[in-house]
């Protein structure tokens, strides 16, 4: 079994109450066991496209899938939840975004998949929830807690837990 970190995000539709369904789908379709789930966070949009705030979270799973198969599964789940990457603006509005952040301590650079995620250490909207569930996990020589000290987390708000 491999340990994988996955970032979830979106802002179209009721993402806050829908996060549970994508997480369930990841666990079911990736033959995975959920080992940690962060709180949900409201985060400012990123990437220069004017839009509403996002809801972001991170999960840790154990899976028997290889990284490329896990990525394919995540993309299938995005489509199930209404995302069409071919028709959207890069970093624009989306129903669901599932990013494979890390897979064990693997370093990989292919046209389809780069591990760890190449922009992980630039994105507070990933680092804040990741630091909640894996603050000291070393990814490419850094921990989420360490990396978070180098980026602004202004505007990121932890949302109350759902009943």
């Amino acid at each position: 079994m491999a340990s994988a970190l996955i970032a979830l995000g979106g802002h179209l539709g009721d993402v806050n109450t829908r996060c549970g369904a994508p997480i369930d789908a990841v666990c079911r379709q990736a033959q995975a066991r959920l080992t940690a789930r962060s709180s949900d966070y409201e985060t400012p949009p990123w990437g220069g496209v004017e839009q509403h705030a996002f809801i972001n979270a991170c999960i840790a799973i154990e899976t028997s899938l290889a990284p490329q198969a896990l990525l394919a599964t995540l993309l299938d789940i995005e489509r199930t939840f209404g995302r069409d990457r071919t028709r959207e603006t890069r970093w624009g509005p989306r129903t669901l975004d599932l990013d494979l952040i890390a897979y064990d301590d693997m370093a990989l650079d292919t046209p389809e998949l780069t591990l760890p995620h190449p922009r992980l250490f630039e994105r507070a909207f990933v680092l804040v929830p990741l630091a909640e569930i894996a603050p000291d996990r070393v990814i490419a020589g850094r921990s989420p807690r360490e990396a978070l000290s180098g980026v602004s987390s202004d505007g990121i708000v932890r949302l109350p837990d759902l009943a």
Side-chain angles (χ1 to χ4, degrees), residues 66-134:
Q68 294 84 351
L70 179 55
L71 176 63
T73 298
L74 297 177
L75 295 174
D76 284 343
I77 293 167
E78 284 183 351
R79 284 188 291 276
T80 299
F81 283 87
R83 183 162 187 193
D84 182 353
R85 286 177 176 254
T86 64
R87 303 186 76 192
E88 66 185 23
T89 303
R90 185 170 188 186
W91 298 318
R94 67 201 77 141
T95 55
L96 179 64
D97 187 23
L98 296 171
D99 285 333
L100 181 54
I101 299 301
Y103 184 96
D104 281 340
D105 60 356
M106 180 180 285
L108 183 69
D109 191 3
T110 69
E112 299 81 30
L113 179 60
T114 302
L115 290 172
H117 192 286
R119 288 173 294 284
L120 164 64
F121 297 121
E122 302 167 15
R123 296 177 167 179
F125 65 86
V126 174
L127 290 170
V128 168
L130 192 56
E132 180 184 332
I133 64 170

Side-chain angles (χ1 to χ4, degrees), residues 48-80:
V49 177
E50 191 140 335
Q51 55 194 318
H52 298 291
F54 279 75
I55 304 298
N56 289 99
C58 285
I59 60 172
I61 62 169
E62 289 183 350
T63 182
S64 59
L65 292 182
Q68 294 84 351
L70 179 55
L71 176 63
T73 298
L74 297 177
L75 295 174
D76 284 343
I77 293 167
E78 284 183 351
R79 284 188 291 276
T80 299

